[in-house]
Structure formats: structure tokens, C-alpha cells
Amino acid sequence: MTNRLDGRIALVTGASSGIGEATALELARQGARVAVAARRRERLDALAKQLDGLGAEPLVLTADLADEAAAQRIVKEAEAYYGRLDILVNNAGVMYLEPVAEADLGRWRHMLELNVLGLIASTQAALAGMRARRDGHIVNIASTAGRVANPNAAAYSATKFGVVAFSEALRREVYKDNIRVSVIEPGVVETELREHIGHAATKDALNAWADSMRQLQSQDVAETIAFCVSRPSHVNINEVLMRPTDQER
Ligand code: NDP
């Protein structure tokens, strides 16, 4: 029997597509009020209409979360709007894959700033309120790339190994404050993520590999996140590694 999320307030980053969009909708279906953040305003506005229909009292926050100040601001704006924040889903991310020897370090810097530093900044901003109320749940989206390092994914893996390590260290800092931390590590999910790979050969190879399997859908990950955050407060699901059945590594 699933516990519903009635009365809970969530902020989902990277909610304009893929896993974040599905997660915002799933949390709303289960009763939460939901704030959504990303850069593409029109996508967020369309999502907000759906969230509104679910009674989720959506708040749309347009922000570039590679900017540390913006990553902190969205948390403060959600807290100001709803009065508090119970659940932070740090999902926004990019995946720039290319061989180290040819890598565009500017793009890699941006990926590190978004996937790692933005996530850390939003988390830091949420901690004060969660600590004061002795209640909160931080969900960080890593990847199987945070458990297995592959060629052409060196920097992406560095960000996701970083998210896994950060999440475990954070858990040990805040568990005594009754704050829960979950890291979700999906394998291949059918989303827009791969569209932004600049290195053509790597993109083609990854798309062919993904097409060879029955990929996870965003909804599969969304339901997993909803499961984690709807457990009773004494249950802390720290880590979920989930692959398509057809995915080996
Ligand atoms: P999408 O590309 O569909 O979603 C990425 C989201 O991040 C979008 O909402 C995008 O919104 C947002 N985003 C990107 N850059 C920024 C930015 N600078 N500031 C704010 N928001 C930003 O991909 P997924 O749903 O697949 O990705 C979500 C997360 O899941 C990522 O962290 C990814 O690494 C992880 N993941 C994905 C897997 C997959 O196979 N798809 C597997 C494992 C993990 P916008 O462009 O509007 O800003």
C-alpha cells in the first residue's frame, strides 16, 4: 500500500522534459504540491497547466541552474511561496560525451557546474529549513555512469560518481536531523538527453546501443522516485540502481 504525498511540497529541477517532467506529474498525482524549474519557460508553463489540473498548485521557476546563485534562489523562492520545502529532486543535468583528447573543456566545465555544483548549491539552500523543521528529503539523480566508467564518458561519469559520493556524505551529515537522502542511478532512459551530444560518432554509437534495448521510460524513474519519497519517515532508501532489463553494463 503506497503512502500518498498529500500535504508534501516538492521542487523538481530539470522538469521541462524527460525524467523531471514525469516526476513532477507523478508527485502531483500522489498529492504533492510541486514547483518546477528549468530554462525553457514555455515547456514549464505547459507542464504547469497539467499540474494545476492535478491540484498541485504549481510554481514555475525559470533558471539556469549552472549558475550557483540561481540554483540557490529557486529553493528560496519555493520556500517563500509555499512556506516550506519538504522534497527537493535534483534532476537537471546534461550529458556531453566525447573523447578526452578532443573534449571541449568549456562544455565540460558547464556540465560540471550544472550536474554537480548546481545540485550542491540547491541542496545547501534547502538544508536550513529542513534542519529547522527536522523533516526533508533530498533526491539526487545520478546514473549507472556514476557506478561504471566508460570511454568517451569520462567527464559525465566524473559528475555522476561525484553525485553518488556527495549524496552519501550528505546523508551522513544530515541523518540526525531527520533529513533523508536518496540517490537514483538509472541506466538508459528514452529522453532528450542524448540529443545534446556534440561528438557525432559517440552519439551514433550510443543511440544504436540504446535502440538495441527496451529502454527505461521517464515514468519508470518517476515512479521509483515517488516510491522513495512516500515511505514512512523512518525509512531512508539511500540508493537505487535501475537498468533496463536488456542493459548489461
Ligand atoms: P532531458 O534532456 O529530457 O532533461 C534534462 C532537464 O535538465 C531538462 O528539463 C532541461 O531543461 C534541464 N536542464 C538542462 N540544462 C539546464 C540548465 N543549465 N539549467 C536548468 N535546467 C537545465 O534528459 P533526462 O530527463 O534524461 O535527464 C534528467 C537527469 O537524468 C539528468 O541529470 C541525467 O544525467 C539523468 N540521467 C538520464 C539518463 C538517460 O538515459 N536519459 C540515465 C541516467 C541519468 P531546460 O533545457 O529547459 O533547461
Coordinates of all heavy atoms in Angstrom, one line a residue, residues 78-168:
A78 N 10.7 28.8 -3.8 CA 9.8 27.8 -3.4 C 9.4 27.9 -2.0 O 8.2 27.8 -1.6 CB 10.3 26.4 -3.8
E79 N 10.3 28.0 -1.1 CA 10.1 28.1 0.3 C 9.2 29.4 0.6 O 8.2 29.3 1.4 CB 11.4 28.2 1.1 CG 12.1 26.9 1.2 CD 13.4 27.0 2.0 OE1 14.0 28.2 2.1 OE2 13.9 26.0 2.4
A80 N 9.5 30.5 0.0 CA 8.7 31.7 0.2 C 7.3 31.5 -0.3 O 6.3 32.0 0.4 CB 9.4 32.9 -0.5
Y81 N 7.1 30.8 -1.4 CA 5.8 30.6 -2.0 C 4.9 29.7 -1.2 O 3.7 30.0 -0.9 CB 5.9 30.1 -3.4 CG 4.6 30.1 -4.2 CD1 4.1 31.2 -4.8 CD2 4.0 28.8 -4.4 CE1 2.9 31.1 -5.5 CE2 2.8 28.8 -5.2 CZ 2.3 29.9 -5.7 OH 1.1 29.9 -6.5
Y82 N 5.5 28.5 -0.8 CA 4.7 27.5 -0.1 C 4.8 27.6 1.4 O 4.0 26.9 2.1 CB 5.1 26.1 -0.5 CG 4.8 25.8 -2.0 CD1 5.9 25.8 -2.9 CD2 3.5 25.6 -2.5 CE1 5.7 25.5 -4.2 CE2 3.3 25.4 -3.9 CZ 4.4 25.3 -4.7 OH 4.2 25.0 -6.1
G83 N 5.8 28.3 1.9 CA 6.0 28.3 3.4 C 7.1 27.4 3.8 O 7.6 27.5 4.9
R84 N 7.4 26.4 3.0 CA 8.5 25.4 3.3 C 8.7 24.5 2.1 O 8.0 24.6 1.1 CB 8.1 24.5 4.5 CG 6.9 23.7 4.3 CD 6.7 22.7 5.4 NE 5.9 21.6 5.0 CZ 4.6 21.6 4.7 NH1 3.9 22.7 5.0 NH2 4.0 20.5 4.3
L85 N 9.8 23.7 2.2 CA 10.0 22.7 1.1 C 10.4 21.4 1.8 O 11.2 21.3 2.6 CB 11.2 23.2 0.3 CG 11.6 22.3 -0.9 CD1 10.5 22.2 -1.9 CD2 12.9 22.8 -1.6
D86 N 9.6 20.4 1.4 CA 9.8 19.0 2.0 C 10.7 18.1 1.2 O 11.4 17.3 1.7 CB 8.5 18.3 2.2 CG 7.5 19.1 3.0 OD1 7.9 19.7 4.1 OD2 6.3 19.3 2.6
I87 N 10.6 18.2 -0.2 CA 11.2 17.3 -1.1 C 11.9 18.1 -2.2 O 11.3 18.9 -2.8 CB 10.2 16.3 -1.7 CG1 9.5 15.5 -0.7 CG2 10.9 15.4 -2.8 CD1 8.2 14.9 -1.2
L88 N 13.2 17.9 -2.3 CA 14.0 18.5 -3.4 C 14.5 17.4 -4.3 O 15.3 16.5 -3.9 CB 15.2 19.3 -2.8 CG 16.2 19.9 -3.9 CD1 15.5 20.8 -4.8 CD2 17.4 20.5 -3.2
V89 N 14.1 17.4 -5.6 CA 14.6 16.4 -6.6 C 15.6 17.2 -7.5 O 15.2 18.0 -8.3 CB 13.4 15.8 -7.4 CG1 13.9 14.8 -8.3 CG2 12.3 15.2 -6.5
N90 N 16.8 16.9 -7.3 CA 17.9 17.5 -8.1 C 18.1 16.6 -9.3 O 18.9 15.7 -9.3 CB 19.2 17.5 -7.2 CG 19.2 18.6 -6.2 OD1 18.9 19.8 -6.5 ND2 19.6 18.3 -5.0
N91 N 17.4 17.0 -10.4 CA 17.4 16.2 -11.6 C 18.0 16.8 -12.8 O 18.5 16.2 -13.7 CB 15.9 15.8 -11.9 CG 15.7 15.3 -13.3 OD1 16.0 14.2 -13.6 ND2 15.2 16.2 -14.2
A92 N 18.1 18.2 -12.8 CA 18.6 18.9 -14.0 C 20.0 18.4 -14.3 O 20.8 18.2 -13.4 CB 18.6 20.4 -13.8
G93 N 20.2 18.1 -15.6 CA 21.6 17.6 -16.0 C 21.7 17.6 -17.5 O 20.8 17.6 -18.2
V94 N 23.0 17.6 -17.9 CA 23.3 17.4 -19.3 C 24.4 16.3 -19.4 O 25.1 16.0 -18.4 CB 23.9 18.7 -19.9 CG1 22.8 19.7 -20.1 CG2 25.1 19.2 -19.2
M95 N 24.5 15.7 -20.6 CA 25.4 14.6 -20.8 C 26.2 15.0 -22.1 O 25.8 14.8 -23.2 CB 24.7 13.3 -21.0 CG 25.6 12.1 -21.3 SD 24.7 10.6 -21.3 CE 23.8 10.7 -22.8
Y96 N 27.4 15.5 -21.9 CA 28.3 15.8 -23.0 C 29.4 14.8 -23.1 O 30.2 14.7 -22.3 CB 28.9 17.2 -22.9 CG 27.9 18.4 -22.8 CD1 28.2 19.5 -22.0 CD2 26.7 18.3 -23.5 CE1 27.3 20.5 -21.9 CE2 25.8 19.4 -23.5 CZ 26.1 20.5 -22.7 OH 25.2 21.5 -22.6
L97 N 29.3 13.9 -24.2 CA 30.2 12.8 -24.3 C 31.1 13.1 -25.5 O 30.7 13.4 -26.6 CB 29.4 11.5 -24.6 CG 28.3 11.1 -23.6 CD1 27.7 9.8 -23.9 CD2 28.8 11.1 -22.1
E98 N 32.4 12.8 -25.2 CA 33.4 13.0 -26.2 C 34.7 12.4 -25.7 O 34.9 12.4 -24.4 CB 33.6 14.4 -26.7 CG 33.7 15.4 -25.6 CD 33.2 16.8 -26.0 OE1 33.6 17.3 -27.1 OE2 32.3 17.3 -25.3
P99 N 35.7 12.0 -26.5 CA 36.9 11.5 -26.0 C 37.7 12.6 -25.3 O 37.6 13.8 -25.7 CB 37.7 11.1 -27.3 CG 36.7 11.0 -28.4 CD 35.6 12.0 -28.0
V100 N 38.4 12.3 -24.3 CA 39.2 13.3 -23.5 C 40.1 14.1 -24.4 O 40.2 15.3 -24.3 CB 40.0 12.6 -22.4 CG1 40.9 13.6 -21.7 CG2 39.1 11.8 -21.4
A101 N 40.8 13.5 -25.3 CA 41.8 14.2 -26.2 C 41.1 15.3 -27.0 O 41.8 16.2 -27.4 CB 42.5 13.2 -27.1
E102 N 39.9 15.1 -27.3 CA 39.2 16.1 -28.2 C 38.2 17.0 -27.4 O 37.5 17.8 -28.0 CB 38.4 15.4 -29.3 CG 39.2 14.6 -30.2 CD 38.4 13.6 -31.1 OE1 37.3 14.0 -31.4 OE2 38.8 12.5 -31.3
A103 N 38.1 16.8 -26.1 CA 37.0 17.4 -25.4 C 37.0 19.0 -25.4 O 38.1 19.6 -25.3 CB 37.0 17.0 -24.0
D104 N 35.9 19.5 -25.5 CA 35.7 21.0 -25.4 C 35.5 21.3 -23.9 O 34.5 21.0 -23.3 CB 34.4 21.4 -26.1 CG 34.0 22.8 -26.0 OD1 34.5 23.5 -25.0 OD2 33.3 23.3 -26.8
L105 N 36.6 21.8 -23.3 CA 36.6 22.0 -21.8 C 35.6 23.0 -21.4 O 35.1 22.9 -20.2 CB 38.0 22.3 -21.4 CG 39.1 21.2 -21.5 CD1 40.4 21.6 -20.9 CD2 38.6 19.9 -21.0
G106 N 35.2 23.9 -22.2 CA 34.2 24.9 -21.9 C 32.9 24.2 -21.6 O 32.1 24.4 -20.7
R107 N 32.5 23.2 -22.5 CA 31.3 22.5 -22.4 C 31.4 21.6 -21.1 O 30.4 21.4 -20.4 CB 31.0 21.6 -23.6 CG 30.0 22.2 -24.6 CD 30.1 21.6 -26.0 NE 29.5 20.3 -26.1 CZ 28.2 20.1 -26.3 NH1 27.4 21.2 -26.4 NH2 27.7 18.9 -26.5
W108 N 32.5 21.0 -20.9 CA 32.7 20.1 -19.8 C 32.6 20.9 -18.5 O 32.1 20.4 -17.5 CB 34.0 19.3 -19.8 CG 33.9 18.1 -20.7 CD1 32.8 17.8 -21.5 CD2 34.8 17.0 -20.8 NE1 33.0 16.6 -22.1 CE2 34.2 16.1 -21.7 CE3 36.0 16.7 -20.2 CZ2 34.8 14.9 -22.1 CZ3 36.6 15.5 -20.6 CH2 36.1 14.6 -21.5
R109 N 33.1 22.1 -18.5 CA 33.0 23.0 -17.3 C 31.5 23.3 -17.0 O 31.1 23.2 -15.8 CB 33.8 24.3 -17.5 CG 33.6 25.2 -16.2 CD 34.3 26.5 -16.3 NE 35.8 26.3 -16.3 CZ 36.6 26.4 -17.3 NH1 36.1 26.7 -18.5 NH2 37.9 26.2 -17.2
H110 N 30.8 23.6 -18.1 CA 29.4 23.8 -17.9 C 28.7 22.6 -17.3 O 27.8 22.7 -16.4 CB 28.7 24.2 -19.2 CG 27.3 24.4 -19.2 ND1 26.4 23.4 -19.5 CD2 26.5 25.4 -18.7 CE1 25.1 23.9 -19.3 NE2 25.2 25.1 -18.9
M111 N 29.0 21.4 -17.8 CA 28.4 20.2 -17.3 C 28.7 20.0 -15.8 O 27.8 19.6 -15.0 CB 28.9 19.0 -18.1 CG 28.3 17.6 -17.7 SD 28.6 16.3 -19.0 CE 30.4 16.2 -19.0
L112 N 30.0 20.2 -15.4 CA 30.3 20.1 -14.0 C 29.6 21.1 -13.2 O 29.1 20.8 -12.1 CB 31.9 20.3 -13.9 CG 32.7 19.1 -14.2 CD1 34.1 19.5 -14.7 CD2 32.8 18.1 -13.1
E113 N 29.4 22.3 -13.7 CA 28.7 23.4 -12.9 C 27.3 23.0 -12.7 O 26.7 23.2 -11.7 CB 28.9 24.7 -13.6 CG 30.3 25.3 -13.5 CD 30.6 26.5 -14.3 OE1 29.8 26.9 -15.1 OE2 31.7 27.1 -14.0
L114 N 26.7 22.4 -13.8 CA 25.2 22.1 -13.7 C 25.1 20.8 -12.9 O 24.3 20.7 -11.9 CB 24.6 21.9 -15.1 CG 23.2 21.4 -15.1 CD1 22.2 22.5 -14.4 CD2 22.7 21.1 -16.5
N115 N 25.7 19.7 -13.3 CA 25.4 18.4 -12.8 C 25.9 18.2 -11.3 O 25.3 17.5 -10.5 CB 26.1 17.3 -13.6 CG 25.6 17.1 -15.0 OD1 24.8 18.0 -15.4 ND2 26.0 16.1 -15.7
V116 N 27.0 19.0 -11.0 CA 27.5 18.8 -9.6 C 27.3 20.1 -8.8 O 26.6 20.0 -7.7 CB 29.0 18.5 -9.6 CG1 29.5 18.2 -8.2 CG2 29.2 17.2 -10.5
L117 N 27.8 21.2 -9.2 CA 27.8 22.4 -8.3 C 26.4 23.0 -8.2 O 26.0 23.4 -7.1 CB 28.8 23.5 -8.9 CG 30.2 23.1 -8.8 CD1 31.1 24.1 -9.5 CD2 30.7 22.9 -7.3
G118 N 25.6 22.9 -9.3 CA 24.2 23.4 -9.1 C 23.4 22.6 -8.2 O 22.7 23.1 -7.3
L119 N 23.6 21.3 -8.3 CA 23.0 20.3 -7.4 C 23.4 20.6 -5.9 O 22.5 20.6 -5.0 CB 23.3 18.9 -7.8 CG 22.9 17.7 -7.0 CD1 22.7 16.5 -8.0 CD2 23.9 17.3 -6.0
I120 N 24.7 20.8 -5.7 CA 25.1 21.1 -4.4 C 24.6 22.4 -3.8 O 24.1 22.5 -2.7 CB 26.7 21.2 -4.4 CG1 27.3 19.8 -4.6 CG2 27.2 21.7 -3.0 CD1 28.8 19.7 -4.8
A121 N 24.5 23.4 -4.7 CA 24.0 24.7 -4.3 C 22.5 24.7 -3.9 O 22.1 25.2 -2.9 CB 24.2 25.8 -5.4
S122 N 21.7 24.0 -4.7 CA 20.3 23.8 -4.3 C 20.1 23.1 -3.0 O 19.3 23.4 -2.2 CB 19.5 23.1 -5.5 OG 19.5 23.9 -6.6
T123 N 20.9 22.0 -2.9 CA 20.9 21.2 -1.7 C 21.2 22.1 -0.5 O 20.5 22.1 0.6 CB 21.9 20.0 -1.7 OG1 21.5 19.2 -2.9 CG2 21.9 19.2 -0.5
Q124 N 22.3 22.9 -0.6 CA 22.7 23.7 0.5 C 21.6 24.7 0.9 O 21.3 24.9 2.1 CB 24.0 24.5 0.2 CG 24.6 25.2 1.3 CD 25.7 26.1 0.8 OE1 25.6 26.8 -0.1 NE2 26.9 26.0 1.5
A125 N 21.0 25.2 -0.1 CA 19.9 26.2 0.2 C 18.7 25.6 0.9 O 18.0 26.2 1.7 CB 19.4 26.9 -1.1
A126 N 18.5 24.3 0.6 CA 17.3 23.6 1.3 C 17.6 23.2 2.7 O 16.6 22.9 3.4 CB 16.9 22.4 0.4
L127 N 18.8 23.0 3.1 CA 19.1 22.4 4.3 C 18.7 23.2 5.6 O 18.2 22.6 6.5 CB 20.6 22.1 4.5 CG 21.2 20.9 3.6 CD1 22.7 20.7 3.9 CD2 20.4 19.7 3.9
A128 N 18.8 24.5 5.5 CA 18.5 25.3 6.7 C 17.0 25.1 7.1 O 16.8 24.7 8.3 CB 18.8 26.8 6.5
G129 N 16.1 25.2 6.2 CA 14.7 25.0 6.5 C 14.4 23.6 6.9 O 13.6 23.3 7.9
M130 N 15.0 22.6 6.2 CA 14.7 21.2 6.6 C 15.3 20.9 8.0 O 14.6 20.2 8.7 CB 15.4 20.3 5.5 CG 14.7 20.3 4.1 SD 15.5 19.2 2.9 CE 14.3 19.4 1.6
R131 N 16.4 21.4 8.3 CA 17.0 21.2 9.6 C 16.1 21.8 10.7 O 15.9 21.1 11.7 CB 18.4 21.8 9.7 CG 19.5 20.9 9.3 CD 20.8 21.4 9.9 NE 21.8 20.3 9.8 CZ 23.0 20.3 9.2 NH1 23.4 21.3 8.6 NH2 23.7 19.2 9.3
A132 N 15.7 23.0 10.5 CA 14.9 23.7 11.5 C 13.6 22.9 11.7 O 13.1 22.8 12.9 CB 14.5 25.1 11.0
R133 N 13.0 22.3 10.7 CA 11.8 21.5 10.8 C 12.0 20.1 11.1 O 11.1 19.3 11.4 CB 10.9 21.7 9.6 CG 10.4 23.0 9.3 CD 9.4 23.0 8.1 NE 10.0 22.4 6.9 CZ 10.9 23.0 6.1 NH1 11.2 24.2 6.3 NH2 11.4 22.3 5.1
R134 N 13.3 19.6 11.1 CA 13.6 18.2 11.3 C 12.8 17.3 10.3 O 12.2 16.3 10.7 CB 13.5 17.8 12.7 CG 14.4 18.4 13.7 CD 14.4 17.8 15.1 NE 14.6 16.4 15.0 CZ 15.8 15.8 14.8 NH1 16.9 16.5 14.7 NH2 15.9 14.5 14.8
D135 N 12.8 17.7 9.1 CA 12.0 17.0 8.1 C 12.4 17.4 6.7 O 12.5 18.6 6.4 CB 10.5 17.3 8.3 CG 9.6 16.5 7.3 OD1 10.1 15.4 6.8 OD2 8.5 16.9 7.1
G136 N 12.7 16.5 5.9 CA 13.1 16.8 4.5 C 13.7 15.6 3.8 O 14.1 14.6 4.4
H137 N 13.6 15.7 2.4 CA 14.1 14.6 1.6 C 14.8 15.2 0.4 O 14.2 15.9 -0.4 CB 12.9 13.7 1.2 CG 13.4 12.3 0.8 ND1 12.6 11.2 1.1 CD2 14.5 11.8 0.2 CE1 13.3 10.1 0.7 NE2 14.4 10.4 0.1
I138 N 16.0 14.9 0.2 CA 16.8 15.3 -1.0 C 17.0 14.1 -1.9 O 17.5 13.0 -1.4 CB 18.2 15.8 -0.6 CG1 18.2 16.8 0.6 CG2 19.0 16.3 -1.8 CD1 18.0 18.2 0.2
V139 N 16.6 14.2 -3.1 CA 16.7 13.1 -4.1 C 17.6 13.6 -5.2 O 17.4 14.6 -5.9 CB 15.4 12.7 -4.7 CG1 15.5 11.6 -5.7 CG2 14.4 12.3 -3.6
N140 N 18.8 12.9 -5.4 CA 19.7 13.3 -6.4 C 19.7 12.3 -7.5 O 19.8 11.1 -7.3 CB 21.1 13.4 -5.8 CG 21.2 14.6 -4.8 OD1 20.5 15.6 -4.9 ND2 22.1 14.4 -3.8
I141 N 19.7 12.8 -8.8 CA 19.7 11.9 -9.9 C 21.1 11.7 -10.4 O 21.7 12.7 -11.0 CB 18.8 12.4 -11.1 CG1 17.4 12.8 -10.5 CG2 18.7 11.3 -12.1 CD1 16.7 11.7 -9.7
A142 N 21.7 10.5 -10.2 CA 23.0 10.2 -10.7 C 22.8 9.4 -12.0 O 22.0 9.8 -12.9 CB 23.8 9.5 -9.7
S143 N 23.4 8.2 -12.1 CA 23.3 7.4 -13.3 C 24.1 6.1 -13.1 O 24.9 6.0 -12.2 CB 23.9 8.2 -14.5 OG 24.1 7.4 -15.6
T144 N 23.9 5.1 -14.0 CA 24.8 4.0 -14.0 C 26.2 4.5 -14.3 O 27.2 3.9 -13.9 CB 24.4 2.9 -15.0 OG1 24.1 3.6 -16.3 CG2 23.2 2.1 -14.6
A145 N 26.3 5.6 -15.0 CA 27.6 6.3 -15.3 C 28.2 6.8 -14.0 O 29.4 7.2 -14.1 CB 27.4 7.4 -16.3
G146 N 27.5 6.8 -12.9 CA 28.1 7.1 -11.6 C 28.6 5.8 -10.9 O 29.0 5.9 -9.8
R147 N 28.4 4.7 -11.6 CA 28.9 3.4 -11.0 C 29.9 2.7 -11.9 O 30.6 1.8 -11.4 CB 27.7 2.5 -10.7 CG 26.7 3.1 -9.7 CD 27.2 2.9 -8.3 NE 27.3 1.4 -8.0 CZ 26.4 0.7 -7.4 NH1 25.4 1.3 -6.9 NH2 26.6 -0.6 -7.2
V148 N 29.8 2.9 -13.2 CA 30.6 2.3 -14.2 C 31.1 3.4 -15.1 O 30.4 4.2 -15.7 CB 29.7 1.3 -15.1 CG1 30.6 0.6 -16.1 CG2 29.0 0.3 -14.2
A149 N 32.5 3.4 -15.3 CA 33.1 4.5 -16.2 C 33.4 3.9 -17.5 O 34.1 2.9 -17.6 CB 34.3 5.0 -15.5
N150 N 32.9 4.6 -18.6 CA 33.1 4.1 -19.9 C 33.9 5.1 -20.8 O 33.8 6.3 -20.5 CB 31.7 3.9 -20.6 CG 31.0 2.7 -20.0 OD1 31.5 1.6 -19.8 ND2 29.7 3.0 -19.6
P151 N 34.6 4.6 -21.8 CA 35.3 5.6 -22.7 C 34.3 6.6 -23.3 O 33.2 6.3 -23.5 CB 35.9 4.7 -23.8 CG 35.8 3.3 -23.3 CD 34.7 3.2 -22.2
N152 N 34.8 7.8 -23.5 CA 34.0 8.9 -24.1 C 33.0 9.5 -23.1 O 32.3 10.5 -23.4 CB 33.3 8.5 -25.4 CG 34.3 8.0 -26.4 OD1 35.4 8.3 -26.3 ND2 33.8 7.3 -27.4
A153 N 32.9 8.9 -21.9 CA 32.0 9.5 -20.9 C 32.8 9.9 -19.6 O 32.3 9.9 -18.5 CB 31.0 8.4 -20.5
A154 N 34.1 10.2 -19.8 CA 34.9 10.5 -18.6 C 34.4 11.6 -17.8 O 34.2 11.4 -16.5 CB 36.3 10.8 -19.1
A155 N 34.1 12.7 -18.4 CA 33.6 13.9 -17.5 C 32.2 13.7 -17.0 O 31.9 14.0 -15.9 CB 33.8 15.2 -18.3
Y156 N 31.3 13.1 -17.9 CA 30.0 12.8 -17.4 C 30.0 11.9 -16.2 O 29.4 12.1 -15.2 CB 29.1 12.2 -18.6 CG 27.7 12.0 -18.2 CD1 26.8 13.0 -17.9 CD2 27.2 10.7 -18.2 CE1 25.5 12.8 -17.6 CE2 25.9 10.4 -17.9 CZ 25.0 11.5 -17.6 OH 23.7 11.2 -17.2
S157 N 30.8 10.8 -16.4 CA 31.0 9.9 -15.2 C 31.5 10.6 -14.0 O 31.2 10.3 -12.9 CB 31.9 8.7 -15.6 OG 31.1 7.6 -16.0
A158 N 32.5 11.5 -14.3 CA 33.1 12.2 -13.1 C 32.0 13.0 -12.4 O 31.9 13.0 -11.1 CB 34.2 13.2 -13.6
T159 N 31.0 13.6 -13.2 CA 29.9 14.3 -12.5 C 29.0 13.3 -11.7 O 28.6 13.6 -10.6 CB 29.1 15.1 -13.5 OG1 28.3 14.3 -14.3 CG2 29.9 16.1 -14.3
K160 N 28.7 12.2 -12.3 CA 27.8 11.3 -11.7 C 28.4 10.5 -10.5 O 27.7 10.2 -9.5 CB 27.1 10.4 -12.7 CG 26.3 11.1 -13.8 CD 25.2 12.0 -13.1 CE 24.2 12.6 -14.1 NZ 23.1 13.4 -13.5
F161 N 29.7 10.1 -10.7 CA 30.4 9.5 -9.5 C 30.4 10.5 -8.4 O 30.2 10.2 -7.2 CB 31.8 9.1 -9.8 CG 32.0 7.7 -10.3 CD1 31.7 7.3 -11.7 CD2 32.5 6.7 -9.5 CE1 31.9 6.1 -12.2 CE2 32.7 5.4 -10.0 CZ 32.4 5.1 -11.3
G162 N 30.6 11.8 -8.8 CA 30.6 12.9 -7.8 C 29.2 13.0 -7.1 O 29.2 13.2 -5.9
V163 N 28.1 12.9 -7.8 CA 26.8 13.0 -7.2 C 26.6 11.8 -6.2 O 26.0 12.0 -5.2 CB 25.7 13.0 -8.3 CG1 24.3 12.9 -7.7 CG2 25.8 14.3 -9.1
V164 N 27.0 10.6 -6.6 CA 26.9 9.5 -5.7 C 27.7 9.7 -4.4 O 27.1 9.5 -3.3 CB 27.4 8.2 -6.4 CG1 27.4 7.0 -5.4 CG2 26.5 7.8 -7.6
A165 N 28.9 10.2 -4.5 CA 29.7 10.4 -3.3 C 29.2 11.5 -2.5 O 29.1 11.4 -1.3 CB 31.2 10.7 -3.8
F166 N 28.8 12.6 -3.2 CA 28.2 13.7 -2.4 C 26.9 13.3 -1.6 O 26.8 13.7 -0.5 CB 27.8 14.8 -3.4 CG 27.0 16.0 -2.8 CD1 27.7 16.9 -2.1 CD2 25.7 16.1 -3.0 CE1 27.0 18.0 -1.5 CE2 24.9 17.1 -2.4 CZ 25.6 18.1 -1.7
S167 N 26.1 12.5 -2.3 CA 24.9 12.0 -1.6 C 25.1 11.2 -0.4 O 24.4 11.4 0.6 CB 24.0 11.2 -2.6 OG 23.8 12.0 -3.8
E168 N 26.1 10.3 -0.4 CA 26.4 9.5 0.7 C 27.0 10.3 1.9 O 26.6 10.2 3.0 CB 27.3 8.3 0.3 CG 27.8 7.5 1.5 CD 26.7 6.8 2.3 OE1 25.5 6.9 2.0 OE2 27.1 6.1 3.3

